[in-house]
Amino acid sequence: REGCKAIKGKGSILNESDEGHVLKEQARTVKLSAKNLREVVLEKFEKAAKDGDHEQVKRFASILGPIGLVESGLQAFTKYLIGLISSRATAEYDSLLAEISIPKNLESEKKVNFNKAITNLFRDIAEAIDANTTLITEAYGEEGFVDVVLSLHEEAEARAVSILKKFIEYRQLSRAIDVSGEASSNSDVKTFEKTIDEIVVLCVRSEEYNNCIKSVLSHAADKGVEKAQTTLNALVGSPLNCVVRELNAYYTSLEDRYMGRTIEMAIRMNECIEGALTSSIVEDTFFILQKCGRRGMATGNVQCVCSILSNINNHLCNSFLSALRHDNSVYDVLVGCPTEDEIAALDSTSNITKVAQAVNNFE
């Protein structure tokens, strides 16, 4: 026993100072290995991103967080996703500007497709979020996921605002409101309606994207991510929503002008058709107003819908009702108790049909 104690005391590997030295060396080795691993993985990620190897990018992105590169890994992956979206969005926007630069004529205006540009942008953002949700949350957590979503949203918002403002400028919406009442032919009205349809589609796409972002952030907020809730509260006043509200205002005014103009045309073209229950004005007017009402509802904006419905009611109570009373002889007979002589004194052609249709028109 004494011999063993002597040996251990003199230079055994179990000496405390030697043990401490070994542990320090091992810790240093582990740290160095971890550092080298992070550098290698980050280098491979950057190479895959540069080569456009999406599968390898996702593979290394899923590793960066767990090996300790949470912040830099999140920044690198976010930068990569934004780069993908930015490159396509830039190409789309440049193509749009090229089409706009062509002198205006019927063919050139058909090629200018604002809807395509903004739809592709929003779709790319939605697909990027949906395809990488699991990867990001597992590697970087819920807060990291929200950071990526907000970065993508910021990119989408800036580009969408540019597209919508360019649309307002190119279609000259302010001037369109002023001259809308001057449309004198069917072709003018059809061109005017195409602009309205285009505005509605852009509003619908923007509303769909807005709901998508709200859904993602609401889900994150329910899990306790404070940044998600803060962004949700501020989303109403975002630049994109401000431009969409401007578009909705243009739409409401243009739709009102369209209703007035087309109802006037329906009144001028009113005819009594043998065998029909009403004259053409009723069917034409209600077809127009129903179409306008559905278009308003498609925007998904409550204020827009209320405004359109109010305008529909105004047109019915004013120009439409006035048109029904334009033939005083018919109206006077209807509101009183007509005799056979009074009915016979109406139009000599199709007396019964005209009176029947006049009654049905008022009903």
Side-chain angles (χ1 to χ4, degrees), residues 42 45 64 69-82 140 144 147-148 151:
L42 191 58
F45 173 88
L64 289 170
L69 292 176
V70 176
E71 186 176 346
S72 56
L74 194 63
Q75 289 176 353
F77 191 51
T78 303
K79 182 181 178 181
Y80 168 75
L81 292 177
I82 290 177
Y140 306 101
D147 286 338
V148 174
S151 296

Short mmCIF file of all heavy atoms in Angstrom, two decimals, residues 42 45 64 69-82 140 144 147-148 151:
data_model
loop_
_atom_site.label_atom_id
_atom_site.label_comp_id
_atom_site.label_asym_id
_atom_site.label_seq_id
_atom_site.Cartn_x
_atom_site.Cartn_y
_atom_site.Cartn_z
N LEU A 42 -20.88 26.75 -42.76
CA LEU A 42 -21.24 28.07 -43.30
C LEU A 42 -20.67 28.26 -44.70
O LEU A 42 -21.33 28.80 -45.59
CB LEU A 42 -20.75 29.16 -42.36
CG LEU A 42 -21.26 30.58 -42.64
CD1 LEU A 42 -22.79 30.62 -42.60
CD2 LEU A 42 -20.68 31.56 -41.64
N PHE A 45 -22.69 26.21 -47.03
CA PHE A 45 -23.98 26.86 -47.25
C PHE A 45 -23.84 27.98 -48.28
O PHE A 45 -24.64 28.09 -49.21
CB PHE A 45 -24.51 27.44 -45.93
CG PHE A 45 -25.75 28.28 -46.09
CD1 PHE A 45 -27.00 27.70 -46.05
CD2 PHE A 45 -25.66 29.65 -46.32
CE1 PHE A 45 -28.16 28.48 -46.22
CE2 PHE A 45 -26.80 30.43 -46.48
CZ PHE A 45 -28.05 29.83 -46.44
N LEU A 64 -27.17 24.90 -39.35
CA LEU A 64 -26.53 26.10 -38.80
C LEU A 64 -27.04 26.47 -37.42
O LEU A 64 -26.27 26.85 -36.53
CB LEU A 64 -26.70 27.28 -39.77
CG LEU A 64 -25.89 27.20 -41.07
CD1 LEU A 64 -26.33 28.30 -42.03
CD2 LEU A 64 -24.40 27.31 -40.78
N LEU A 69 -24.88 28.60 -34.74
CA LEU A 69 -24.88 29.79 -35.60
C LEU A 69 -26.32 30.24 -35.84
O LEU A 69 -26.79 30.35 -36.98
CB LEU A 69 -24.19 29.49 -36.93
CG LEU A 69 -22.68 29.23 -36.86
CD1 LEU A 69 -22.15 28.83 -38.23
CD2 LEU A 69 -21.95 30.45 -36.34
N VAL A 70 -27.03 30.53 -34.76
CA VAL A 70 -28.43 30.89 -34.87
C VAL A 70 -28.61 32.21 -35.60
O VAL A 70 -29.34 32.31 -36.59
CB VAL A 70 -29.09 30.97 -33.47
CG1 VAL A 70 -30.54 31.44 -33.60
CG2 VAL A 70 -29.03 29.62 -32.79
N GLU A 71 -27.93 33.24 -35.14
CA GLU A 71 -28.10 34.57 -35.72
C GLU A 71 -27.57 34.65 -37.13
O GLU A 71 -28.26 35.09 -38.06
CB GLU A 71 -27.42 35.61 -34.84
CG GLU A 71 -27.67 37.04 -35.28
CD GLU A 71 -27.07 38.06 -34.35
OE1 GLU A 71 -26.69 37.69 -33.22
OE2 GLU A 71 -26.98 39.24 -34.73
N SER A 72 -26.31 34.22 -37.31
CA SER A 72 -25.71 34.30 -38.65
C SER A 72 -26.37 33.33 -39.62
O SER A 72 -26.53 33.64 -40.80
CB SER A 72 -24.20 34.03 -38.56
OG SER A 72 -23.95 32.77 -37.96
N GLY A 73 -26.80 32.17 -39.12
CA GLY A 73 -27.48 31.21 -39.98
C GLY A 73 -28.82 31.73 -40.44
O GLY A 73 -29.20 31.59 -41.61
N LEU A 74 -29.53 32.37 -39.51
CA LEU A 74 -30.84 32.94 -39.85
C LEU A 74 -30.68 34.07 -40.87
O LEU A 74 -31.45 34.17 -41.83
CB LEU A 74 -31.51 33.46 -38.58
CG LEU A 74 -33.00 33.79 -38.67
CD1 LEU A 74 -33.82 32.55 -38.99
CD2 LEU A 74 -33.47 34.41 -37.36
N GLN A 75 -29.69 34.90 -40.66
CA GLN A 75 -29.43 36.00 -41.59
C GLN A 75 -29.07 35.47 -42.99
O GLN A 75 -29.55 35.99 -44.00
CB GLN A 75 -28.31 36.89 -41.06
CG GLN A 75 -28.72 37.73 -39.85
CD GLN A 75 -27.55 38.53 -39.31
OE1 GLN A 75 -26.41 38.39 -39.75
NE2 GLN A 75 -27.84 39.40 -38.34
N ALA A 76 -28.23 34.44 -43.01
CA ALA A 76 -27.78 33.89 -44.29
C ALA A 76 -28.95 33.26 -45.06
O ALA A 76 -29.10 33.46 -46.26
CB ALA A 76 -26.69 32.86 -44.05
N PHE A 77 -29.79 32.50 -44.34
CA PHE A 77 -30.91 31.84 -45.00
C PHE A 77 -31.95 32.86 -45.46
O PHE A 77 -32.53 32.74 -46.54
CB PHE A 77 -31.54 30.81 -44.06
CG PHE A 77 -32.53 29.90 -44.74
CD1 PHE A 77 -32.21 29.23 -45.91
CD2 PHE A 77 -33.80 29.72 -44.21
CE1 PHE A 77 -33.12 28.40 -46.55
CE2 PHE A 77 -34.73 28.90 -44.83
CZ PHE A 77 -34.38 28.23 -46.00
N THR A 78 -32.19 33.87 -44.63
CA THR A 78 -33.14 34.93 -45.01
C THR A 78 -32.65 35.67 -46.25
O THR A 78 -33.43 35.96 -47.17
CB THR A 78 -33.32 35.93 -43.85
OG1 THR A 78 -33.75 35.24 -42.68
CG2 THR A 78 -34.32 37.00 -44.21
N LYS A 79 -31.37 35.98 -46.26
CA LYS A 79 -30.77 36.66 -47.40
C LYS A 79 -30.93 35.82 -48.67
O LYS A 79 -31.21 36.35 -49.76
CB LYS A 79 -29.30 36.94 -47.13
CG LYS A 79 -28.58 37.68 -48.25
CD LYS A 79 -27.12 37.91 -47.90
CE LYS A 79 -26.38 38.60 -49.05
NZ LYS A 79 -24.94 38.80 -48.74
N TYR A 80 -30.76 34.51 -48.53
CA TYR A 80 -30.90 33.61 -49.67
C TYR A 80 -32.32 33.62 -50.21
O TYR A 80 -32.55 33.75 -51.42
CB TYR A 80 -30.49 32.19 -49.26
CG TYR A 80 -30.86 31.14 -50.28
CD1 TYR A 80 -30.14 31.00 -51.47
CD2 TYR A 80 -31.94 30.29 -50.06
CE1 TYR A 80 -30.47 30.03 -52.40
CE2 TYR A 80 -32.29 29.33 -50.99
CZ TYR A 80 -31.56 29.20 -52.16
OH TYR A 80 -31.90 28.25 -53.09
N LEU A 81 -33.31 33.50 -49.31
CA LEU A 81 -34.72 33.49 -49.73
C LEU A 81 -35.11 34.80 -50.40
O LEU A 81 -35.79 34.82 -51.43
CB LEU A 81 -35.62 33.23 -48.52
CG LEU A 81 -35.55 31.83 -47.89
CD1 LEU A 81 -36.44 31.75 -46.67
CD2 LEU A 81 -35.94 30.75 -48.90
N ILE A 82 -34.68 35.91 -49.79
CA ILE A 82 -34.99 37.23 -50.37
C ILE A 82 -34.33 37.37 -51.74
O ILE A 82 -34.92 37.94 -52.67
CB ILE A 82 -34.52 38.35 -49.43
CG1 ILE A 82 -35.41 38.39 -48.19
CG2 ILE A 82 -34.56 39.71 -50.13
CD1 ILE A 82 -35.00 39.41 -47.15
N TYR A 140 -34.37 27.40 -35.77
CA TYR A 140 -34.17 28.75 -35.21
C TYR A 140 -35.28 29.20 -34.27
O TYR A 140 -35.22 30.31 -33.74
CB TYR A 140 -34.04 29.76 -36.37
CG TYR A 140 -32.98 29.39 -37.37
CD1 TYR A 140 -33.32 28.79 -38.58
CD2 TYR A 140 -31.64 29.59 -37.09
CE1 TYR A 140 -32.35 28.42 -39.50
CE2 TYR A 140 -30.66 29.23 -38.00
CZ TYR A 140 -31.02 28.64 -39.20
OH TYR A 140 -30.05 28.27 -40.09
N GLY A 144 -37.32 33.16 -34.58
CA GLY A 144 -36.54 33.18 -35.82
C GLY A 144 -37.44 33.10 -37.04
O GLY A 144 -37.21 33.78 -38.04
N ASP A 147 -38.99 36.44 -37.66
CA ASP A 147 -38.00 37.34 -38.26
C ASP A 147 -37.90 37.13 -39.77
O ASP A 147 -37.83 38.09 -40.54
CB ASP A 147 -36.62 37.12 -37.63
CG ASP A 147 -36.53 37.69 -36.22
OD1 ASP A 147 -37.35 38.59 -35.90
OD2 ASP A 147 -35.66 37.24 -35.44
N VAL A 148 -37.91 35.86 -40.18
CA VAL A 148 -37.84 35.55 -41.62
C VAL A 148 -39.10 36.05 -42.33
O VAL A 148 -39.01 36.68 -43.40
CB VAL A 148 -37.67 34.04 -41.85
CG1 VAL A 148 -37.74 33.71 -43.34
CG2 VAL A 148 -36.33 33.55 -41.29
N SER A 151 -39.04 39.79 -42.73
CA SER A 151 -38.08 40.21 -43.77
C SER A 151 -38.64 39.98 -45.16
O SER A 151 -38.51 40.83 -46.05
CB SER A 151 -36.77 39.42 -43.60
OG SER A 151 -36.15 39.73 -42.37
#
